[in-house]
Amino acid sequence: MATEYASSGEYIKHHLQNLTYGQLPDGTWGFAHGAAEAKSMGFWAINVDSMLFSIGLGLIFLLLFRMAAKRATAGTPSGLQNFVEWIVEFIDSSVRGSFSHQNALVAPLALTVFMWVFLMNLMDLFPVDWLPYVAGAAGVPHLKVVPSTDPNVTFGMSLSIFILVLFYSVKMKGAGGFFSELAFQPFPKFLFPVNLLLEGVGLIAKPISLALRLFGNMYAGEMIFILIALMFGGSWVLAVFGGALQWAWAVFHILIITLQAFIFMTLTIVYLDMAHAEHH
Amino acid sequence: MNFNATLIGQSITFIFFVWFCMKFVWPPIMNALETRKKQIADGLAAADRGKHELELAAKKAGDNMRDAKAQAAEVIAQAEKRAAQIIEDAKTAAKEEGDRQLAAAQANIEQEANRARESLREQVAGLAVAGAEKILRREVNAQTHADLLGQLKAEL
């Protein structure tokens, strides 16, 4: 399908562009056509595809689990309940392993993070052209189906978690305790500007690295799928080779998407545990 | 990589999802898991208790059996002893009865013999008197010799 585009560069760019709704340069509101237009919309624009897919996937997760939760009995579990219990127990043991304080929020948070990120990453396994092609036929100019390749999505989560980390740091240690943790170590107190700089960077790095790790992995994975998809526009030999490559990369990607969801969840738990911990 | 209001939308969505999960998904499932864990633990404890009770019951049954056996043996021994005694008693009673009957028979015989002897004596005396009467009829007056005859009769 790369042949529909003027160049492979344009094909790649097209696939990496979100469907952005905002104020167009001429003052009207509408969808951006191209990256430059999307950029000119400034902050008050919204990536409709990211929102729709992430909310849809989140709702699938919540409805599925809610259904199982409603029907949950202490008797012999079957089918859906078995599957849901398996995941819940996995998350619960992870939380028990890394989080050593009492907080009813952490386990459901970890479950939501894991399942949501996993489902968003899972969209990566759809062949890159399927959904955008269908959308294109329906008149939608751009469609990015993997929400976790949108930094807005990953930062949206990591910043929410960062706010929780700050909240629990202040709640558990008090504002003074939190400040002294940042300012009075690892060096002696009189070097507190250095300490503050070091610890401040460490603190800020948490949400940024959390979001960028997921975004980077997914973005790179998506990019490779797009590059492989470019091969289908070449000779049939190249197309067959591309098919094999896509299959291999998809198989490998199953591991990556699960691993990234797991890492995101584990780091969320660890950061919250550090926020609760009295001492470093 | 341009940031826009999606960031805010995602944060709100995320917070809503976490809230929903915390309120409506996590507690019922954990509840079911905990209840099941407790049920299984209870079941295992009950099984252990049942096993223990079975052991106790088996031990008690064994004790009862042993007691019953001992009691039965005792009863049999008593019965045997009693039987032996009854036989012994019967023997003694029979012997006594025999002796008694023997004695009675002997006494009877003796009495009969005495009676026979008495009647014989009477008859001999009668005969002797009759003989003597015949001999003495002519010379001896019966009336004069009656006391003599009576004396003789008493002597015989």
Side-chain angles (χ1 to χ4, degrees):
Chain A
M1 266 157 257
T3 45
E4 294 168 23
Y5 299 92
S7 69
S8 5
E10 199 186 313
Y11 174 77
I12 294 170
K13 265 189 206 150
H14 182 261
H15 270 280
L16 293 177
Q17 176 56 44
N18 279 108
L19 177 66
T20 312
Y21 184 86
Q23 198 171 21
L24 294 163
D26 61 5
T28 57
W29 288 77
F31 291 113
H33 292 265
E37 233 175 63
K39 207 169 181 66
S40 73
M41 286 172 172
F43 186 78
W44 291 111
I46 194 150
N47 296 340
V48 178
D49 46 1
S50 295
M51 287 304 287
L52 283 182
F53 277 111
S54 64
I55 290 175
L57 291 166
L59 285 181
I60 288 174
F61 150 63
L62 285 180
L63 290 180
L64 210 65
F65 275 57
R66 175 64 187 153
M67 223 155 73
K70 252 193 196 157
R71 277 190 270 152
T73 57
T76 317
S78 60
L80 177 67
Q81 198 194 337
N82 232 333
F83 171 72
V84 166
E85 277 180 10
W86 171 56
I87 292 176
V88 165
E89 284 204 305
F90 162 66
I91 303 289
D92 192 49
S93 63
S94 291
V95 171
R96 274 175 214 282
S98 322
F99 189 78
S100 48
H101 307 274
Q102 284 296 316
N103 193 333
L105 170 72
V106 175
L109 174 75
L111 174 66
T112 312
V113 165
F114 179 75
M115 282 309 294
W116 202 25
V117 170
F118 176 76
L119 286 174
M120 290 195 290
N121 291 351
L122 193 65
M123 295 302 288
D124 216 1
L125 294 180
F126 276 104
V128 283
D129 276 315
W130 280 10
L131 294 175
Y133 187 76
V134 171
V140 177
H142 295 280
L143 192 72
K144 223 169 140 187
V145 295
V146 191
S148 45
T149 57
D150 181 351
N152 287 299
V153 174
T154 59
F155 272 99
M157 269 191 288
S158 77
L159 288 179
S160 307
I161 291 164
F162 184 58
I163 289 167
L164 276 178
V165 166
L166 293 180
F167 171 74
Y168 281 113
S169 292
V170 172
K171 191 186 171 193
M172 303 311 280
K173 301 167 213 175
F178 185 41
F179 178 76
S180 67
E181 192 180 273
L182 292 176
F184 299 147
Q185 56 154 7
F187 299 117
K189 280 188 183 179
F190 65 89
L191 282 174
F192 81 88
V194 182
N195 290 334
L196 210 54
L197 186 70
L198 274 176
E199 292 286 322
V201 167
L203 189 70
I204 303 294
K206 282 178 188 172
I208 293 177
S209 67
L210 192 62
L212 283 183
R213 179 182 304 107
L214 178 60
F215 162 70
N217 269 286
M218 288 300 112
Y219 192 82
E222 177 81 346
M223 183 70 104
I224 288 173
F225 273 125
I226 293 169
L227 290 176
I228 290 170
L230 274 176
M231 290 178 156
F232 299 135
S235 66
W236 68 268
V237 179
L238 210 58
V240 169
F241 181 61
L245 264 185
Q246 185 178 5
W247 182 82
W249 182 242
V251 169
F252 181 57
H253 223 60
I254 294 173
L255 178 71
I256 293 180
I257 61 175
T258 319
L259 195 66
Q260 286 304 321
F262 180 70
I263 290 172
F264 202 100
M265 178 199 77
T266 307
L267 285 178
T268 302
I269 300 169
V270 168
Y271 290 160
L272 281 170
D273 183 58
M274 281 158 73
H276 282 70
E278 207 57 67
H279 301 288
H280 244 33
Chain B
M1 211 172 117
N2 54 322
F3 288 102
N4 57 26
T6 312
L7 191 66
I8 298 170
Q10 281 296 319
S11 302
I12 294 167
T13 310
F14 178 58
I15 290 164
F16 169 76
F17 282 169
V18 170
W19 170 81
F20 186 89
C21 182
M22 188 180 164
K23 203 89 185 162
F24 300 111
V25 174
W26 190 265
I29 293 175
M30 274 329 258
N31 223 8
L33 287 178
E34 287 299 319
T35 314
R36 186 178 313 136
K37 208 187 274 176
K38 199 175 165 304
Q39 272 179 4
I40 290 171
D42 286 356
L44 287 177
D48 268 357
R49 216 166 34 243
K51 217 158 127 195
H52 187 64
E53 268 165 19
L54 182 69
E55 265 168 31
L56 280 183
K59 210 172 133 200
K60 208 171 159 194
D63 283 355
N64 280 349
M65 192 80 105
R66 215 165 27 253
D67 279 1
K69 263 186 193 157
Q71 231 164 19
E74 201 180 323
V75 167
I76 288 169
Q78 258 176 4
E80 272 171 1
K81 214 165 106 187
R82 181 112 182 82
Q85 199 178 354
I86 287 170
I87 290 169
E88 204 58 42
D89 286 357
K91 268 187 195 161
T92 318
K95 199 154 183 276
E96 270 171 11
E97 180 70 13
D99 286 352
R100 204 172 51 76
Q101 279 186 359
L102 194 63
Q106 273 173 348
N108 229 1
I109 289 165
E110 208 163 312
Q111 214 173 8
E112 283 296 317
N114 279 347
R115 206 167 27 236
R117 202 178 291 139
E118 203 62 35
S119 77
L120 204 59
R121 195 184 289 148
E122 292 257 333
Q123 280 177 1
V124 168
L127 272 177
V129 171
E133 214 177 62
K134 268 178 187 162
I135 296 162
L136 298 173
R137 175 131 314 176
R138 286 157 273 178
E139 349 167 345
V140 180
N141 191 348
Q143 267 105 28
T144 46
H145 296 281
D147 53 329
L148 188 71
L149 283 173
Q151 200 181 337
L152 189 71
K153 207 170 162 182
E155 259 172 46
L156 278 167

